[in-house]
Amino acid sequence: AIGNTTYWDGSQWVLNSNNIYNAGTSVGVGTGASPAASAKLDVSSTTQGALIPRMTTTQRDAITSPAQSLLIYNITTKCFEFWENGIWQTFGCACTTPSQPSVITGTTPVCQGNSAVAYSVTNVGGVTYTWAYSGTGYTQATGGTTNSITANFSVAATSGTLTVTPSNACGNGTAQTLAIAVSATPTAANAGADINPACGLTTATLAGNTATVGTGAWSLVSGTAIVTSASSSTSGITGLAVPGTATLRWTISNGPCTASTDDVVITTTSCFTCGGTLAITHTIGTVAPETKSVNYGTVTSSLSGASKCWITQNLGSTNQASSATDNTDASAGWYWQFNRKQGYKVGPTPAWTIPSIDETSDWLAANDPCTIELGTGWRIPTFTEWTNADANGPWASYTDTYNSVLKLHAAGYLNYATGALFARGTDGYYWSSTQGSSTNGWSLYFSNGVSSNMYNGLKAYGFSLRCLRD
C-alpha cells in the first residue's frame, strides 16, 4: 500500500503504515497516513519522546565539519547545542547547583599582621565564589568572587575557619572550608644591659626579658662563652675569655611569625696591678697594622698631676727603647693621625690615604687606640696631663724624657702628605687627646738640646702614642 514501510519483528516482515509512513518526500512516525505536509519528519506520540544524539564535550569536538544547525545534547554541560556561525550554540540547559569546590590551598598557620596571604580553589567555568572567615581581624584584599583571593590579617586577628561557597544561576553549592591558625606576634626581645664582670671573672649571669608570647633562646654570636641554659632568660654564662668580649643574642619566636632579637655584650678584663707587665695580643685590623703579642712595662707616676698608671713604651712597640735615640721599629711602635683609630707602621702600612684633616673635635673616646687595644680605663693623655708632665719633669731634652720613669724617646713621625718617616732618633712627638683647632692637635714635642713643650701640629701627621690609666 502507499506509504508502507516494512520492518522485521523477529520472525516475519511486517507492513504497518501506522508505525512508519513513508510519503516519499516526508516520513511520519506514529502519524498514520497523514504526516504533516510541511515536515520532512513528523513524529507523533502521547507516550514517548524524540531522542537526539547525546555525547560529551570531547566527543562533540571530534565531529568533523559539523553541518549548519546540527543538533546534539551535551551530557557534559547538560545543554542542547546546535552548530551555527562556526560555534556550538547552547540552549535548554538543565539548572543544577555547582559541586563542592576543591580543597582550599593556602597558608596556615599565619601570623598576626601578615598581609597578601593567598588562598584558592580550582576554578570551574560559570561558577562564582563567595569567601568568608569566622575569626576576627580578617579582610579580603583581592579576588572578589573569583576562585583565588588574598587576605590580610590584622595585628589583633584571631584563628578561624575560611569558607568558600560556589554559586551559579541555579543557587549555591556545598561550601569548602579551611581552618586557619593565627599566631600572635612574639614578645619584643630585650637582652638586658651590657655586662662588665669584675676583673678576672670568666662567668656572668644574663638578664633577658621573659617571653609572654612565644619562647626565648640564647645563642652565641661572637667571642667565647658557654650558655648553661639556652631557654632561660637569666641563664648563666661560663667559659668567658679574659680579657675579651662575647656577644650573646636573645631570640623570642612564635610559630611562623618573625622572631624578635636583641644582643648583649659581655666584656671581661684582666686583674691588673700597675708596676708589672701588661700582656696584650694585638690583632691586625682597624687599629693594629699587624698582629703581635707585646708585654708592656707599666709604672705608677704623678707626673701628670695625679697618680696614674703609664705604659713605659710606645703603643705598638715590641719593647721599651734602649736609649733616647733608639731608632728601631721595635722600640718606636706605631703611629696615628689625630682622632683616628688606624695605626701605621713605617712604610706606611696600611697605605697612607688621609693627607689632611679638618674637623672640630677632640680625640673621641670611641676612637682611642689605647682603650681599644689595652682595655677599659686606658686612654691617651690630655693636653693638661702632658703639660703637667713637662713641667714636673722638668725635661730639658730627650735625655731627660728618656731618663724619666716614662722612658720617652725620639721615635720620629710620619709626614702628613705621604706617610714617610722623619726624624726617628732625633725628635719625639706624642699626641694628646686635645685639639688645638679644626686642623691642628696638641702633642708633646722634644729633641736634643730642646726643652720639651706642647706643639700644636697638623692633625694629619702620624705621631706616637703613650697610654695612661686612671
Side-chain angles (χ1 to χ4, degrees):
I2 295 174
N4 280 350
T5 299
T6 62
Y7 71 93
W8 183 255
D9 69 359
S11 60
Q12 63 182 336
W13 289 100
V14 177
L15 296 174
N16 188 339
S17 59
N18 290 325
N19 293 325
I20 300 175
Y21 185 86
N22 185 349
T25 58
S26 62
V27 176
V29 178
T31 62
S34 55
S38 64
K40 280 291 185 182
L41 175 65
D42 184 357
V43 180
S44 177
S45 176
T46 60
T47 59
Q48 293 174 295
L51 281 177
I52 65 170
R54 292 149 290 168
M55 64 190 69
T56 66
T57 298
T58 300
Q59 291 167 334
R60 179 204 70 184
D61 292 343
I63 297 174
T64 303
S65 301
Q68 184 181 17
S69 80
L70 184 68
L71 180 65
I72 69 162
Y73 181 78
N74 191 324
I75 61 176
T76 301
T77 62
K78 310 300 182 186
C79 296
F80 287 96
E81 296 178 352
F82 65 96
W83 182 261
E84 186 61 57
N85 294 327
I87 62 172
W88 289 101
Q89 308 283 351
T90 299
F91 70 99
C93 295
C95 192
T96 58
T97 58
S99 301
Q100 184 182 40
S102 65
V103 173
I104 299 173
T105 60
T107 302
T108 183
V110 298
C111 185
Q112 289 177 338
N114 283 173
S115 59
V117 184
Y119 297 96
S120 65
V121 293
T122 301
N123 190 45
V124 175
V127 176
T128 59
Y129 301 87
T130 302
W131 298 82
Y133 185 68
S134 65
T136 60
Y138 163 95
T139 56
Q140 184 176 321
T142 64
T145 57
T146 66
N147 69 303
S148 180
I149 67 167
T150 61
N152 297 337
F153 295 86
S154 73
V155 294
T158 60
S159 299
T161 300
L162 181 64
T163 302
V164 58
T165 303
S167 62
N168 59 15
C170 300
N172 295 332
T174 303
Q176 183 65 268
T177 62
L178 174 67
I180 298 178
V182 180
S183 299
T185 302
T187 303
N190 184 341
D194 290 343
I195 302 171
N196 296 284
C199 69
L201 284 183
T202 60
T203 61
T205 300
L206 298 169
N209 63 323
T210 300
T212 56
V213 177
T215 57
W218 289 102
S219 60
L220 180 65
V221 177
S222 64
T224 303
I226 299 172
V227 181
T228 59
S229 180
S231 61
S232 171
S233 61
T234 56
S235 173
I237 295 294
T238 62
L240 294 168
V242 179
T245 59
T247 300
L248 282 298
R249 178 164 295 162
W250 180 233
T251 300
I252 299 180
S253 55
N254 188 39
C257 302
T258 301
S260 177
T261 63
D262 190 39
D263 293 350
V264 60
V265 178
I266 304 175
T267 303
T268 59
T269 57
S270 301
C271 293
F272 171 72
T273 301
C274 195
T277 298
L278 177 63
I280 298 294
T281 297
H282 297 290
T283 302
I284 189 171
T286 58
V287 179
E290 62 182 325
T291 296
K292 67 177 178 178
S293 296
V294 179
N295 292 319
Y296 289 95
T298 62
V299 65
T300 300
S301 174
S302 298
L303 281 170
S304 64
S307 181
K308 306 289 182 182
C309 185
W310 295 73
I311 56 174
T312 59
Q313 61 199 76
N314 294 350
L315 185 60
S317 64
T318 302
N319 52 257
Q320 182 178 293
S322 61
S323 67
T325 58
D326 189 336
N327 63 359
T328 62
D329 277 339
S331 63
W334 306 325
Y335 301 86
W336 279 265
Q337 295 177 306
F338 191 88
N339 195 29
R340 296 295 183 268
K341 291 190 293 186
Q342 182 64 69
Y344 293 90
K345 289 177 61 180
V346 171
T349 302
W352 195 259
T353 60
I354 304 175
S356 64
I357 296 175
D358 189 347
E359 61 184 15
T360 304
S361 175
D362 288 333
W363 204 307
L364 299 177
N367 292 340
D368 191 326
C370 292
T371 306
I372 298 170
E373 293 297 299
L374 302 187
T376 303
W378 290 97
R379 58 179 176 82
I380 301 169
T382 64
F383 169 84
T384 301
E385 286 169 329
W386 272 133
T387 300
N388 290 340
D390 180 28
N392 292 329
W395 296 329
S397 68
Y398 57 43
T399 300
D400 293 334
T401 59
Y402 179 76
N403 288 335
S404 73
V405 295
L406 303 186
K407 295 298 181 182
L408 296 169
H409 78 294
Y413 66 93
L414 301 185
N415 180 265
Y416 68 89
T418 63
L421 177 66
F422 285 88
R424 180 182 282 180
T426 60
D427 295 340
Y429 294 87
Y430 289 80
W431 280 124
S432 79
S433 60
T434 309
Q435 73 165 349
S437 68
S438 64
T439 58
N440 288 33
W442 286 107
S443 63
L444 175 72
Y445 165 72
F446 53 82
S447 185
N448 182 33
V450 177
S451 296
S452 59
N453 59 84
M454 296 306 293
Y455 171 69
N456 192 20
L458 291 174
K459 291 179 177 179
Y461 275 119
F463 290 166
S464 303
L465 285 181
R466 187 62 67 93
C467 308
L468 58 75
R469 178 175 176 169
D470 294 318

